[in-house]
Amino acid sequence: MTSQFHGKVALVTGAASGIGRASALAFAREGARVVVADIQVAGGEETAQMITSMGGEALFIKADISKAAEVEELIRQTVTHYGRLDFAHNNAAVEGIIAPTADYPEDDWDRTITTNLKGTWLCMKYEIRQMLQQGGGAIVNTASVVGLVGAPGLPAYCAAKGGVVQLTKAAAIEYAKAGIRINAVCPGSIYTPMLERLLAQPGVEASALATLPIGRIGTPEEVAGAVVWLCSAAASYVIGHLMVVDGGLVAQ
């Protein structure tokens, strides 16, 4: 445990597993009090317990980021409990099904866009309002490399993450002078429950590895390190940046 974020409060959505859990733990190691948010109660409570077990302070709040009332309540409870909100990692997302664009089911399209894009916007909406009252803060959204380059079979996910990329840029410009720094991480292939579901498809893992110059799939901790850095004082002049964490994929 260090004291870089001593006295600060961090909110992480989708923190029941994967990148969100790694991010929540990373914020705690830097001394922040952490609000763990997810729709998965067991996993979210486990993440919070992991933080308290290592000497940190955490609060789990169940929230569906696709619903405005639940997001507003999430921020209200965060501020009621801890008094402020300094950092937010908007990470919660769903991958949707794998299907080509012309065959993609409308209901799954709506669910993916609503959760990944609208949900990120809703989180930012209420986080920014709180940070404006405080005089500043830092937000990191989880976009994706497929928000920068295409991926066959994931049209809704690509569209949503591309939207997160542009949403991040727009909001970063709007609130830079208000002391709110907004950036995004763009993970590539990272071992998470979401990726594991995709890798279960025949031939997908071998295909993914073949595209990675580094020759391996990344870890959630490697993305969490980027998130924490973007929130730190070391990144004080970094605004509207898309930090790619992908083992070299988009450099090709």
Side-chain angles (χ1 to χ4, degrees):
M1 303 286 285
T2 64
S3 58
Q4 176 181 198
F5 294 154
H6 178 72
K8 303 293 186 180
V9 177
L11 164 66
V12 182
T13 68
S17 63
I19 292 170
R21 171 173 284 180
S23 176
L25 292 171
F27 275 116
R29 290 189 190 97
E30 297 297 331
R33 293 168 290 174
V34 183
V35 175
V36 174
D38 209 298
I39 60 172
Q40 303 295 333
V41 175
E45 291 180 340
E46 183 178 35
T47 299
Q49 180 59 42
M50 291 170 71
I51 291 171
T52 57
S53 294
M54 60 190 239
E57 189 173 347
L59 170 70
F60 170 69
I61 300 175
K62 183 179 183 292
D64 181 344
I65 64 162
S66 70
K67 298 178 179 178
E70 294 196 25
V71 175
E72 185 175 17
E73 179 63 12
L74 169 63
I75 304 306
R76 189 196 69 77
Q77 286 190 45
T78 296
V79 176
T80 297
H81 194 82
Y82 286 130
R84 57 187 301 109
L85 174 62
D86 299 285
F87 312 124
H89 179 197
N90 298 320
N91 171 74
V94 297
E95 72 269 30
I97 67 167
I98 299 176
T101 300
D103 299 326
Y104 211 84
E106 184 177 357
D107 58 347
D108 200 81
W109 174 276
D110 290 344
R111 173 175 172 265
T112 303
I113 297 295
T114 298
T115 301
N116 297 2
L117 180 53
K118 180 183 177 182
T120 299
W121 166 67
L122 285 172
C123 288
M124 293 177 68
K125 178 177 182 176
Y126 294 104
E127 292 159 359
I128 288 168
R129 289 180 178 182
Q130 174 60 32
M131 290 177 179
L132 286 171
Q133 293 179 30
Q134 297 173 188
I139 296 172
V140 178
N141 297 321
T142 297
S144 172
V145 291
V146 301
L148 306 173
V149 298
L154 293 172
Y157 189 79
C158 290
K161 292 301 186 177
V164 170
V165 164
Q166 292 302 102
L167 175 61
T168 297
K169 291 181 179 181
I173 295 167
E174 291 170 343
Y175 296 101
K177 290 182 180 178
I180 302 173
R181 294 190 304 101
I182 303 174
N183 296 286
V185 287
C186 297
S189 295
I190 306 295
Y191 271 122
T192 64
M194 181 184 291
L195 181 67
E196 288 170 3
R197 289 190 291 270
L198 294 174
L199 293 180
Q201 307 294 319
V204 172
E205 183 165 11
S207 177
L209 286 170
T211 67
L212 300 175
I214 200 171
R216 66 172 176 83
I217 292 174
T219 68
E221 290 73 21
E222 289 173 308
V223 181
V227 172
V228 167
W229 183 81
L230 286 169
C231 289
S232 74
S236 59
Y237 205 60
V238 181
I239 292 172
H241 180 60
L242 310 174
M243 181 168 284
V244 178
V245 187
D246 72 344
L249 175 65
V250 301
Q252 301 175 97

